[in-house]
Structures are given as structure tokens and as C-alpha cells.
Amino acid sequence: MLKYLNTALGAAALSLTLGGMPQAAFAQDSAEPIVIPTHNWSSQVVMAYVIGGIFQSIGDTVEYVPADSQAVYEAIRNGDVTISHEVWQSTFGASFYNAMAQGGIIDAGNHEAMTLEELGVPHYVIEQNLCPGLPDWEALKNCPEVFATADSEGKGRILEGPQDWHGDLMPDRIKALGLDDKYVVKFAGSADAIWAELASAKKEGRGIITFNWTPNFTDAEGFDFIKFPAYTDGCRKADGGDGSCGSPIGWLKKAANYKFPKTHPKAYTIFTKISFTTAQIGQMAALVDIDKMSHEDAAKKWLADNEAVWMPWTK
Ligand code: TMO
């Protein structure tokens, strides 16, 4: 009986193999578009067009959709969006793994670049000793007035990014560290609003604390991240901790809908090989935020200038 079953299964498997894939060495990618999300910071949008351009170079079709940077992981899980190419550990790690736990999103590997998403000050604030003791966070206790603005109620102002990035993470942290009677967190409406404020503070030579990240275009000029108490798993309020910790030095991942390897095997294989460095991601942002190019033009320029980087991934 067992012997018969083995033979029957073997025959079925053999006929499936022969009938299902006659001599095909490579499967073709579907003509259906690969849906790539765009968010609200420059490197992510430029990289969307860079990766889309790489997929187009092998004849695939791509489509770009503006998407909320937290909700996108659920959209990838259910197939409305195909990939995410900048999953920043600190801000999106939880949403990525929550979606993975529901089933339908896969880890397509890491970029070479490591990341930090943290509050900090432009380098001249340190150089000119505007708040002695920085970048150690405890120094903040002694100089809220250095960072006060017209709308900060006499406290120091901390300019956070748009609230859709990571909610109340920073207000929670400031409170947990006992800094809330001296500092107030204000949310910027956009990344551009942060860059505009940094530029005017520099022009006026005044102190400023903003949320920022690396890799970014600001790496070139120098931005000093504040050293808060070390991040540990579970230290954040959202994860059950008291919130009195800084951000992790984190990974930068790529994610995909679980069907992508099957529908677009060539594009998926390339996607797993794509790995950008800190300098490359900083360049993508700088083309927009310093050189003032459009995201699309920046991507075209990046692809034209860096064929030696990306073309090997398509072979
Ligand atoms: C997700 N971000 C890079 C803006 O911190």
C-alpha cells in the first residue's frame, strides 16, 4: 500500500513538473504594474523612481502611489502596494512586523546603510557652545531659553517632523525624561518646513533642535544627534516601557508583498540585491533638497551617473 502510494505520488509529481513548466529556464515577469509607494521625505521619493527606473530597464511596468508611511505596510500585506524600499527600523519597524504577523508581507533584505532617526542640532550649535554639554541630553536642562521661539510659551522648542511619522514618540520621551516643564514639542507640517527652519536659524545664528535622520543630505554639512539614554527593546511607551530612551541605531530594510517573487521573479530578484549606502542615499536627498531638482529628474540623474552601481543587479 505504502509502496503503491509512493509510486502514484511520484508519477503525479513528475507529470506536474513536465506539464507545468516545459523546458522554461526563466519565468517571465507579469505585465501587471509593480506598485511603488511614495512618502514625504526626499530620499524615499527619489529612491522610488530610481528603483522604478531599474524595473523599467528590464521591461517591467511600474506605478507610483502616494501612501501614508505607517499604513503602507498593511497596504503591502493586502497587495494594494507591491514594495517598500525604505523601512526605517526606528519609525516603521513595529508597523512592518505587525503586518508580517498578520501574514502577507516579506522581508526582502537590508540596505548597507545603517540609520538613526533622532533629535539633534546643527553643528554650529556645538561649535559655538550655545548649550554647554551638548550633545549629551542632560545639557538640555540648563538652556531651554537658547531654543525658545515665539510660539514656545517661554520653553525651549523641539521641532519634530510631521506627526504621521511616529505619533507621540517625542512628546512621550520629553515627558518621561522630565524635560516637559522646560521644553515643548511642535510638529512640522512637512520635511521642507524642518529644512526651512534650519536654514533660517543658521542665518540668524540661533539655537535650534529638530528631528532629523541619517542617511540624509544634512550628513554632508554636519548635524549632531543628541545622545539620549540608550534604546532597549520595549523601552518605548508604545511598547510598554516608560519612554525615557533614545532611538536605536537601526537597519534600513526592503519589504514586499508575498506574491511579488512569483508574479515578478526577475524584478523581485533584483529587489533583493538592491542595497544602497549612506552616501548614495544622502546623494538622492541632496539632489532635491540642495540642488532643488524634481524627484523624477533626480532619479534620472542618479541612474545615469551610477550605472556601475545598479546595472550589475539586473544581470
Ligand atoms: C522616516 N524618516 C526617515 C523621515 O525618519
Side-chain angles (χ1 to χ4, degrees):
M1 182 60 190
L2 191 64
K3 194 173 170 195
Y4 166 75
L5 201 64
N6 277 339
T7 311
L9 281 173
L14 186 68
S15 73
L16 271 178
T17 307
L18 292 176
M21 257 204 181
Q23 276 97 52
F26 297 102
Q28 291 304 311
D29 280 11
S30 163
E32 287 296 306
I34 298 165
V35 182
I36 304 175
T38 57
H39 302 313
N40 51 359
W41 65 95
S42 299
S43 69
Q44 196 277 343
V45 185
V46 175
M47 200 190 293
Y49 292 113
V50 163
I51 292 176
I54 295 173
F55 291 161
Q56 284 172 323
S57 80
I58 61 158
D60 282 12
T61 305
V62 299
E63 187 180 306
Y64 303 98
V65 292
D68 177 86
S69 59
Q70 291 289 351
V72 74
Y73 300 100
E74 178 64 13
I76 295 168
R77 190 182 80 77
N78 68 31
D80 292 340
V81 171
T82 315
I83 63 167
S84 169
H85 51 277
E86 277 195 19
V87 188
W88 295 66
Q89 179 179 346
S90 178
T91 298
F92 309 120
S95 294
F96 168 63
Y97 278 114
N98 283 342
M100 189 179 280
Q102 302 292 309
I105 188 169
I106 57 176
D107 182 336
N110 291 16
H111 290 283
E112 181 179 325
M114 293 302 289
T115 60
L116 182 60
E117 304 171 74
E118 187 56 282
L119 303 176
V121 297
H123 192 57
Y124 67 82
V125 172
I126 304 288
E127 230 167 40
Q128 297 173 16
N129 212 21
L130 298 186
C131 179
L134 279 183
D136 189 295
W137 75 274
E138 306 239 25
L140 294 175
K141 295 173 186 169
N142 303 321
C143 38
E145 66 286 349
V146 171
F147 302 105
T149 51
D151 63 345
S152 68
E153 305 132 39
K155 299 181 179 182
R157 180 202 54 176
I158 292 170
L159 186 60
E160 165 61 308
Q163 199 163 10
D164 55 81
W165 286 345
H166 40 240
D168 286 332
L169 177 72
M170 295 305 173
D172 286 348
R173 183 197 296 181
I174 294 312
K175 192 152 192 240
L177 290 170
L179 290 172
D180 57 317
D181 57 343
K182 292 181 174 166
Y183 287 85
V184 60
V185 176
K186 300 278 183 183
F187 292 95
S190 64
D192 278 346
I194 302 175
W195 316 142
E197 253 302 280
L198 278 170
S200 77
K202 184 181 177 186
K203 213 165 145 195
E204 296 161 23
R206 71 181 147 86
I208 180 169
I209 302 170
T210 73
F211 177 71
N212 195 357
W213 55 90
T214 179
N216 200 359
F217 74 94
T218 47
D219 295 341
E221 183 167 312
F223 185 88
D224 292 69
F225 293 100
I226 296 170
K227 291 184 170 54
F228 286 98
Y231 176 87
T232 53
D233 279 342
C235 70
R236 289 178 173 174
K237 250 185 118 177
D239 300 326
D242 71 4
S244 63
C245 57
S247 301
I249 291 172
W251 39 251
L252 188 64
K253 275 191 189 298
K254 298 161 290 169
N257 176 264
Y258 74 112
K259 291 180 182 164
F260 185 43
K262 188 75 179 167
T263 59
H264 300 79
K266 291 178 173 170
Y268 175 72
T269 303
I270 292 168
F271 191 52
T272 64
K273 293 178 183 174
I274 288 175
S275 168
F276 292 120
T277 64
T278 296
Q280 288 163 350
I281 297 169
Q283 278 165 6
M284 292 181 202
L287 289 169
V288 172
D289 292 321
I290 296 178
D291 302 341
K292 308 297 177 193
M293 295 178 81
S294 72
H295 298 101
E296 289 95 329
D297 287 350
K300 279 190 195 131
K301 177 170 169 49
W302 198 91
L303 286 168
D305 291 349
N306 291 277
E307 287 187 347
V309 173
W310 65 267
M311 277 196 175
W313 295 330
T314 67
K315 301 290 191 275

